[in-house]
Amino acid sequence: IGRGISVLLPFAGLILIGAMVVGKIEGWTVIESLYFSVVSLTTVGFGDYYPTREASVWFCVFWLPFSVGFMSLYLGSVAHFYIQQSN
């Protein structure tokens, strides 16, 4: 359980930060905000929800590259840990 939480916590934190900030600025519901954050952070980007207000656009300009980069490095280190454990 401890390892699972340590893997999911950073990912969930980045999703919640994006959902809270962009959702509040855009006036979206909680579900819409979480959907936008998950789709954006996983780089799927369907385009059905996107920031339209200047403040949320600027937030996304910094949040998305940081979040995607952080998650790439973080998940790479998690994969490296589990590969070492299997050897």
Side-chain angles (χ1 to χ4, degrees), residues 22 26 28 36 49-53 56-57 60:
V22 176
E26 293 291 333
W28 293 337
F36 167 78
Y49 288 93
Y50 52 90
T52 57
R53 299 201 171 124
S56 58
V57 169
C60 288

Side-chain angles (χ1 to χ4, degrees), residues 31-63:
I31 299 299
E32 291 170 329
S33 302
L34 288 171
Y35 173 79
F36 167 78
S37 291
V38 169
V39 168
S40 298
L41 190 58
T42 57
T43 67
V44 173
F46 291 122
D48 47 353
Y49 288 93
Y50 52 90
T52 57
R53 299 201 171 124
E54 188 174 355
S56 58
V57 169
W58 278 107
F59 174 78
C60 288
V61 164
F62 295 101
W63 173 70

